[in-house]
Amino acid sequence: MPYEAVIGMEVHAQLITESKMFCHCSSAYASAPPNSHTCPVCLGMPGMLPLANRRAVEATVMMGLALHCAIPLFSKFDRKNYMYPDLPKGYQISQYDMPFARNGSITVPLEQGIKTIRIRRVHLEEDTAKLTHQGGYTLIDFNRSGVPLIEIVTESDIRTAEEAWRYLVALRSILRYLGIGSGNMEEGAMRCEVNISLRPVGREELGTKVEVKNMNSFRAVRQAIAYEIERQTRLLEQGERVEQVTMGWDEANHRTVFQRSKEGAEDYRYFPEPDLPPIIWTEADIDAIRARLPELPDAKLKRLIEQYALKADDAYLLADERATADYFEVAAQACAGVVEAQTVANWLLSELLRLMRESGQELSANPVTAGCLAELLKIVSRGEINATVAKEVLAEMVSSGKSAPEIIQTRGLKQISDADQLRQMVEQVIAANGQAAQQYRDGKDQALRFLIGQVMRQTRGQANVSIVESLLRELLAR
Amino acid sequence: MKLDRDQVLHIAELAKLGLSAEEADRFTVQLSAILEYFELLDQLDTGAIPPTAMAIDQHNVLRKDSAGASLPVETVLQAPRTIGQFIAVKAVLD
Ligand SMILES: [Zn+2]
């Protein structure tokens, strides 16, 4: 019997703020010595009063708006009670029944088209302290305690590991566009919990939900979900029951492992946080926050496709990061009427970004500005150098910071378009490669590719390919 | 509404309190009495009063996002047990 997975996700994302959620301690917890960013509020001392960070509150509303959520005019904080050493107060300040945002959606591109995933809610809470385990002790660093954290919960609309992964990528992209979070999973700035159940295809009712945790990268989320779907399918096919449990992803062994049973489910005894007055918005407040939203990834994607006639896949890659999209647009506009926007996109995506990865540079901080790339591409379009040489030039532009004309000049890389000069070389190549020449005459077109390659080699890539090709065809036809 | 002994033990467990058998019996009676008092309050007709999460009439009390001084680490490390600059507790497994 074929099964389908029904997946819901809870993502926690740290917000980028200067100070913590409810106190003035710096929220730069990662770089600081342990317990150096703490105060009576974030240490949970009795009698201390929290004061909510406006920027974090507004960032949560921005995220809600970016996810097309409704923003209730009234919302409040609640206490979620549980005992754990990472939580000094014995409760976490969170939001229960009146979150800042609810009922939204996000779109993700899939091979079969665009899919909409519904967002149930976005709420704001505080992060917990960081625990490490050493010998018989648990060590606590309270620097992270009280760092603002948003939780984004989907409806169970996700069906595959691929969709879950696309969802996370889209979410990260929005966080970065808004400038409110890094979405970096490896650094723990974004974490996710996934609940997965299986049901026979076509059936309405849900199977037993299994929760999966402990995934520290986008790849791990994808692998964990794929593994868990397989594990549950196997159980069901063998006529066994899926237990309602929490599983953890075991990165070393690439499998999910049992963590704990869900029996005696959490009893958090939520109640309204008496120390924090509610937040009441006017429509004007929300409009003012909405006005601060930049063009978001889905809108940018649509515009890039329409305005620049880009391939959808390329537009998607460009739109993922705001800086990449901005770079593209500046370069494409500088090339307007000379070089096609799709060509600019190709160079940016396959050449320049690869060079960035190899040299560990950020696109926005590298010496090759969008204007520099445009200059290079215009030189190519004028036929002064060919694409192969241009790739070398670009690599040197990145490493040396020199401009394209300067590199072409000093290295004497100008394309050879002189037909007489090329004719000589082509004749030599035909003479030296009699077998290939014969194969071409016998109708094997690949042989022509080989001969072109030989000419290019002799000229260190500087020959004008189209002239070489027509010369070869002409001389071989004799 | 009367609480039973198991509910009291469950609450004690959530609060990480160890109760003796005698205490469990005593608190079962006392906590039930408190709940019964709330049942008395519950008889009031509050239909015309909107629910509130807050006793005082305040809202949107927010502060500017700016970082200030934290406590000196020596102060924080007056905890009963420390290892290096960490506060240490008996290992918790999860
Ligand atoms: Zn603090």
Side-chain angles (χ1 to χ4, degrees):
Chain A
M1 191 184 331
Y3 292 97
E4 112 180 306
V6 177
I7 302 169
M9 292 175 82
E10 288 177 16
V11 172
H12 285 95
Q14 279 172 353
L15 295 177
I16 297 171
T17 52
E18 219 181 281
S19 60
K20 292 187 180 181
M21 186 61 230
F22 298 115
C23 62
H24 278 110
C25 291
S26 162
S27 53
Y29 68 93
S31 54
N35 294 306
S36 58
H37 290 174
T38 65
C39 73
V41 172
C42 57
L43 287 171
M45 298 292 173
M48 290 300 120
L49 288 176
L51 201 48
N53 185 329
R54 174 182 292 277
R55 183 168 166 157
V57 169
E58 290 180 355
T60 311
V61 173
M62 280 173 88
M63 190 64 186
L65 290 170
L67 293 170
H68 314 290
C69 289
I71 308 297
L73 295 182
F74 184 98
S75 45
K76 65 174 173 70
F77 290 100
D78 299 276
R79 291 187 179 179
K80 178 182 180 180
N81 300 279
Y82 66 93
M83 290 280 184
Y84 208 64
D86 63 4
L87 201 62
K89 296 189 294 294
Y91 59 84
Q92 179 188 32
I93 302 178
S94 180
Q95 295 190 284
Y96 182 52
D97 55 343
M98 294 181 167
F100 283 125
R102 62 205 323 167
N103 301 336
S105 66
I106 187 172
T107 54
V108 294
L110 298 175
E111 228 159 86
Q112 60 272 31
I114 301 285
K115 167 156 182 155
T116 300
I117 295 167
R118 287 170 302 156
I119 301 292
R120 183 180 301 167
R121 56 187 281 154
V122 181
H123 76 243
L124 179 57
E125 57 188 35
E126 53 178 342
D127 209 344
T128 56
K130 196 165 192 300
L131 303 183
T132 42
H133 304 282
Q134 182 187 303
Y137 295 102
T138 293
L139 308 186
I140 312 171
D141 174 6
F142 284 104
N143 285 348
R144 202 181 67 182
S145 169
V147 167
L149 196 65
I150 52 172
E151 180 174 329
I152 303 138
V153 185
T154 69
E155 297 293 347
S156 301
D157 289 344
I158 298 165
R159 294 288 173 269
T160 65
E162 164 84 9
E163 289 177 23
W165 175 71
R166 292 281 186 179
Y167 166 68
L168 286 179
V169 170
L171 212 53
R172 177 184 61 182
S173 183
I174 293 174
L175 284 168
R176 292 190 183 178
Y177 266 63
L178 297 175
I180 61 170
S182 73
N184 188 321
M185 286 194 77
E186 284 82 357
E187 288 170 7
M190 185 155 115
R191 294 161 236 159
C192 91
E193 288 162 30
V194 181
N195 60 67
I196 307 174
S197 66
L198 257 55
R199 66 180 172 198
V201 171
R203 199 77 71 75
E204 267 299 310
E205 66 266 37
L206 297 172
T208 308
K209 263 190 203 173
V210 170
E211 193 171 296
V212 186
K213 292 180 165 185
N214 278 357
M215 297 150 292
N216 297 321
S217 68
F218 285 75
R219 202 169 44 113
V221 173
R222 205 169 165 169
Q223 291 171 336
I225 293 174
Y227 182 91
E228 191 55 29
I229 292 175
E230 222 179 276
R231 185 185 74 88
Q232 293 184 28
T233 305
R234 220 166 28 233
L235 282 175
L236 294 174
E237 278 173 352
Q238 289 165 3
E240 289 178 47
R241 256 170 34 128
V242 174
E243 302 287 339
Q244 191 182 345
V245 293
T246 300
M247 305 288 284
W249 176 242
D250 176 356
E251 179 73 45
N253 297 305
H254 281 82
R255 59 192 183 125
T256 58
V257 290
F258 173 82
Q259 275 195 328
R260 64 170 165 268
S261 156
K262 281 267 186 179
E263 308 253 324
E266 292 96 342
D267 188 350
Y268 291 129
R269 296 149 290 144
Y270 282 98
F271 64 87
E273 166 58 79
D275 292 338
L276 287 162
I279 304 291
I280 302 175
W281 302 117
T282 63
E283 295 289 354
D285 292 332
I286 294 168
D287 286 344
I289 296 174
R290 194 192 310 274
R292 282 156 51 191
L293 296 182
E295 181 183 36
L296 290 163
D298 51 351
K300 195 172 294 268
L301 173 67
K302 209 165 154 248
R303 187 172 60 75
L304 287 179
I305 294 172
E306 282 165 8
Q307 187 175 338
Y308 297 97
L310 295 180
K311 284 187 225 153
D313 283 354
D314 292 339
Y316 174 66
L317 291 171
L318 290 172
D320 182 45
E321 287 275 2
R322 197 167 159 185
T324 313
D326 289 350
Y327 188 105
F328 163 77
E329 290 207 73
V330 174
Q333 277 158 22
C335 284
V338 184
V339 182
E340 281 193 16
Q342 180 64 53
T343 308
V344 178
N346 294 346
W347 277 86
L348 174 54
L349 290 169
S350 54
E351 292 305 316
L352 189 55
L353 288 183
R354 178 179 57 78
L355 291 166
M356 292 297 99
R357 275 193 300 278
E358 286 169 7
S359 61
Q361 293 188 73
E362 289 289 330
L363 188 60
S364 49
N366 103 93
V368 183
T369 62
C372 299
L373 178 66
E375 186 178 31
L376 173 69
L377 298 185
K378 285 194 255 184
I379 292 170
V380 177
S381 80
R382 287 198 297 269
E384 289 176 30
I385 60 172
N386 66 28
T388 316
V389 174
K391 285 177 192 173
E392 270 178 55
V393 172
L394 183 60
E396 194 173 330
M397 288 164 72
V398 170
S399 61
S400 71
K402 289 184 189 152
S403 73
E406 201 181 341
I407 294 165
I408 294 164
Q409 178 72 40
T410 43
R411 288 184 48 191
L413 293 175
K414 277 221 169 170
Q415 180 157 277
I416 306 167
S417 298
D418 180 53
D420 291 334
Q421 194 185 345
L422 288 176
R423 181 180 293 268
Q424 270 188 351
M425 290 185 191
V426 168
E427 279 169 349
Q428 281 167 18
V429 165
I430 292 173
N433 296 279
Q435 203 186 342
Q438 191 51 49
Q439 281 172 347
Y440 172 75
R441 291 194 184 100
D442 293 344
K444 268 200 176 164
D445 234 36
Q446 286 128 304
L448 189 70
R449 295 280 125 220
F450 171 77
L451 292 168
I452 291 171
Q454 293 302 306
V455 178
M456 296 312 287
R457 239 175 81 177
Q458 290 219 351
T459 58
R460 299 197 338 267
Q462 280 168 255
N464 182 318
V465 180
S466 52
I467 298 179
V468 170
E469 183 174 343
S470 55
L471 280 170
L472 274 167
R473 287 191 191 280
E474 179 197 325
L475 294 172
L476 287 168
R478 285 188 186 161
Chain B
M1 186 188 144
K2 266 193 106 53
L3 280 177
D4 62 33
R5 203 168 181 276
D6 284 345
Q7 285 172 310
V8 171
L9 289 173
H10 175 63
I11 293 164
E13 164 67 26
L14 289 172
K16 298 283 181 271
L17 291 174
L19 299 186
S20 67
E22 185 272 324
E23 283 170 327
D25 290 335
R26 182 150 43 99
F27 292 140
T28 302
V29 176
Q30 291 184 352
L31 289 173
S32 293
I34 293 171
L35 273 186
E36 275 156 26
Y37 182 68
F38 275 92
E39 273 169 7
L40 190 66
L41 293 177
D42 210 24
Q43 289 169 15
L44 274 176
D45 179 9
T46 55
I49 303 166
T52 178
M54 190 96 207
I56 45 170
D57 186 21
Q58 275 193 322
H59 59 87
N60 297 26
V61 181
L62 300 168
R63 66 177 178 83
K64 190 171 173 284
D65 176 35
S66 65
S70 292
L71 287 174
V73 177
E74 310 82 73
T75 309
V76 182
L77 296 182
Q78 292 177 62
R81 191 188 285 126
T82 58
I83 295 178
Q85 233 174 275
F86 294 97
I87 291 168
V89 294
K90 263 203 297 187
V92 287
L93 294 171
D94 189 60

